[in-house]
């Protein structure tokens, strides 16, 4: 599976961005999908994950109520809508896919895409 993430950029505090990750190479609808991030000088952090049919969804506590993960199986695409962005959301964001049931947290995923940089200025 190849994953291509895009949509990052420079925004101000309180603004929104939508990240997109397009998958290719195998059946998309039976993959669990996740978003992760790595801030400068910090370890990789779980952000959100979503099951095969769009449910269930899981979120890291600091993004609950602000971020929404969704998927469009017809387009082989997973999205991360990020609202009310904060400077502490600044990181490289990665999408990942896995053939197992969707899980919460920083767990092994089979496939990873390249990152897209999100910078939130204050």
């Amino acid at each position: 599976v190849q994953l291509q993430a895009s949509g990052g950029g420079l925004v101000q505090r309180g603004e929104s961005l939508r990240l997109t990750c397009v998958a290719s190479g195998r059946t998309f609808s039976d993959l669990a999908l996740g978003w992760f991030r790595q801030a400068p000088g910090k370890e990789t952090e779980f952000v959100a994950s979503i099951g095969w049919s769009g449910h269930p969804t899981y979120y890291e506590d600091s993004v609950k109520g602000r971020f929404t993960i969704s998927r469009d199986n017809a387009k082989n695409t997973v999205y991360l809508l990020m609202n009310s962005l904060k400077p502490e959301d600044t990181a490289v964001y990665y999408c990942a896919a896995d053939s197992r049931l969707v899980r919460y947290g920083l767990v092994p995923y089979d496939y990873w895409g390249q990152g897209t940089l999100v910078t939130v200025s204050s």
Side-chain angles (χ1 to χ4, degrees):
V1 175
Q2 292 77 47
L3 301 167
Q4 181 73 37
S6 62
L10 172 63
V11 297
Q12 294 188 339
R13 176 193 292 270
E15 294 186 338
S16 299
L17 275 177
R18 188 179 76 162
L19 304 183
T20 299
C21 179
V22 180
S24 61
R26 64 159 283 178
T27 303
F28 181 79
S29 58
D30 61 359
L31 292 171
L33 301 165
W35 286 97
F36 298 81
R37 65 187 180 185
Q38 186 171 26
K42 296 187 177 181
E43 296 187 351
T44 302
E45 178 184 38
F46 167 76
V47 176
S49 58
I50 188 167
W52 303 328
S53 63
H55 300 282
T57 57
Y58 299 108
Y59 296 92
E60 194 266 333
D61 286 346
S62 69
V63 308
K64 281 181 181 177
R66 299 189 298 123
F67 290 12
T68 302
I69 188 171
S70 61
R71 65 190 292 165
D72 185 338
N73 288 343
K75 296 182 178 180
N76 287 3
T77 301
V78 59
Y79 305 98
L80 185 69
L81 175 61
M82 305 184 295
N83 294 324
S84 302
L85 281 161
K86 304 175 181 179
E88 50 264 45
D89 295 318
T90 295
V92 177
Y93 283 72
Y94 299 89
C95 60
D98 196 83
S99 57
R100 289 162 284 195
L101 291 173
V102 65
R103 296 157 291 166
Y104 170 86
L106 187 59
V107 296
Y109 272 65
D110 293 331
Y111 312 102
W112 290 82
Q114 94 298 347
T116 185
L117 176 62
V118 173
T119 304
V120 184
S121 66
S122 56

